[in-house]
Every structure is written in C-alpha cells, then in structure tokens.
Amino acid sequence: AQSVTQLGSHVSVSEGALVLLRCNYSSSVPPYLFWYVQYPNQGLQLLLKYTTGATLVKGINGFEAEFKKSETSFHLTKPSAHMSDAAEYFCAVRPSGYALNFGKGTSLLVTP
Amino acid sequence: EPEVTQTPSHQVTQMGQEVILRCVPISNHLYFYWYRQILGQKVEFLVSFYNNEISEKSEIFDDQFSVERPDGSNFTLKIRSTKLEDSAMYFCASSDGRAGTSEQYFGPGTRLTVT
C-alpha cells in the first residue's frame, strides 16, 4: 500500500527563515502527492499537488514542493517564513482509488 | 468561496449511544468522503460515497458505521453504538471528480468525545 512518512512532528523556524518540511512516500507506481495545511479550528486546505509533468510544484502562500522520484521524496519549502504560516502540515498520497493516505503531520512553529 | 460545513463542531456522547455527524458538501460536488483523526495520530480514510452508494471503504468502516445522503444537500455519518475508541475528529470532504488529481475539499471537522 502507498504511504507517506513525515520526518519531524514539530518544526520551529524564525520569521524570515527557510521552511523545510520533509515527506517521503512509498509507492510501486507513480503517485499523486499532496500537501495540506490545517490552521487552528479549520479544515484541511490544499496547498499544492503533484500529478504528472513538472516536478517542481508551486502552491498557495509561497509554498512549493519538488517531486524527486530517485529519493521518493516530496519535501515542502518556503523561502521566508511568516508568522501566519504557523499551522499543521500534512503530506498525503492518493493511490488509484478514492482515499487519501495522510502522514502524521508536522506542526510548524514560527518564532519572531 | 464555497466550503464544506459540518455540524456540530463538538459532540459529547456516552458509550453505546448512537451519533450522527452531519456535513453539507460543496453544492456541485458529486463525491463525498469521511475521514477521522484520533488525537495524536494521522488522518485516516473511512469511506467514500458516490451516486448514492459507498464506492470505497477502509477496514475501520465496520458495521457500526453507515453513511447516507438523506437529501440533496446533507451527507451524514452514523455510528450506531459508540465506543471509547471512536473519540476523534471527524472530517467530511467532497470533490467534483473521482480522478486522482481532483482536489478534496475538507470541512472544519466535528470533534466526537465518547465518555
């Protein structure tokens, strides 16, 4: 079964610093990969997704992720963190069916 | 912007009681989903629903669970006899297409506490 592993349940960065949230997947076939963000008391919101084509995917709020097949990774980055980026981030893979398989999530803390 | 809504935001129930969690998907969406997240654990898929029938379900979705679209707007998850381990955040989602690329839009969740 396809699954994802998010390294680091908590990541802390200073405002203005690079954000790097790690996600590795296991899949025997090319996967569909997603990053979702959850702000407090809100639902999951799609940040970006990789399906086919360009391996560098740009999403909302300045985030981007690069699909690296050789490393089975789909790490999420943002050049400069903002206080409003503090949230829970989930990497997910979607096999051929309907279900999204989520990682455990990474809580991003941004300090002044 | 259209959004998925869920009610109630928090439900407390006693073990053995039936609960119904309600969701209003985005109006032109055809595919509906339920996920849950037990505190400290990952978000887990429960079931997907299309054309008035279950299209896929996980092993979590046993006979205690059922889903229904009682009218043109609501989508419900029923747990017949709640257990302590059903305590979790339950998320409803909807999408306009089945393909792997279709975005699933999530609601804010219902926190279910079973005592």
Side-chain angles (χ1 to χ4, degrees):
Chain A
Q2 296 185 6
S3 63
V4 294
T5 302
Q6 291 184 242
L7 298 175
S9 58
H10 294 84
V11 170
S12 180
V13 299
S14 300
E15 191 175 18
L18 171 72
V19 175
L20 170 61
L21 305 182
R22 299 178 187 274
C23 173
N24 289 88
Y25 67 90
S26 65
S27 174
S28 57
V29 297
Y32 295 133
L33 292 158
F34 304 80
W35 274 100
Y36 279 83
V37 62
Q38 184 182 28
Y39 299 103
N41 300 315
Q42 295 186 29
L44 299 164
Q45 180 184 8
L46 182 67
L47 272 178
L48 48 80
K49 63 184 179 185
Y50 170 78
T51 54
T52 59
T55 56
L56 183 62
V57 180
K58 295 187 185 299
I60 62 172
N61 302 338
F63 284 92
E64 61 184 36
E66 186 170 10
F67 170 63
K68 290 189 177 180
K69 186 177 178 181
S70 61
E71 298 178 10
T72 61
S73 68
F74 190 57
H75 301 331
L76 182 71
T77 60
K78 182 174 180 177
S80 177
H82 192 272
M83 296 296 289
S84 61
D85 294 327
E88 188 85 13
Y89 292 80
F90 295 93
C91 182
V93 62
R94 187 170 184 178
S96 57
Y98 299 88
L100 283 167
N101 291 340
F102 285 90
K104 287 192 172 183
T106 298
S107 180
L108 177 65
L109 175 67
V110 182
T111 58
Chain B
E1 185 175 331
E3 58 182 17
V4 176
T5 58
Q6 291 184 243
T7 53
S9 56
H10 191 188
Q11 172 99 42
V12 181
T13 190
Q14 288 190 324
M15 194 168 53
Q17 296 296 306
E18 175 184 286
V19 293
I20 297 176
L21 309 184
R22 303 181 190 279
C23 168
V24 178
I26 294 173
S27 61
N28 63 338
H29 284 184
L30 301 175
Y31 297 83
F32 314 113
Y33 314 84
W34 283 102
Y35 292 80
R36 77 172 186 191
Q37 184 180 29
I38 295 172
L39 190 64
Q41 298 186 25
K42 64 179 183 177
V43 177
E44 301 172 291
F45 169 77
L46 292 178
V47 66
S48 62
F49 190 84
Y50 169 70
N51 200 26
N52 284 319
E53 61 182 29
I54 290 173
S55 45
E56 186 179 352
K57 62 180 181 179
S58 72
E59 56 191 29
I60 301 170
F61 193 87
D62 61 22
D63 292 343
Q64 291 285 81
F65 293 89
S66 62
V67 290
E68 191 180 27
R69 188 151 163 84
D71 52 44
S73 59
N74 290 284
F75 179 52
T76 62
L77 174 70
K78 182 193 290 186
I79 309 175
R80 272 181 258 283
S81 178
T82 50
K83 305 175 195 141
L84 293 176
E85 54 264 37
D86 293 327
S87 294
M89 182 72 90
Y90 288 81
F91 294 104
C92 174
S94 67
S95 67
D96 61 2
R98 178 212 182 279
T101 58
S102 293
E103 177 178 353
Q104 294 182 18
Y105 292 81
F106 284 77
T110 292
R111 181 167 296 284
L112 177 65
T113 301
V114 182
T115 61

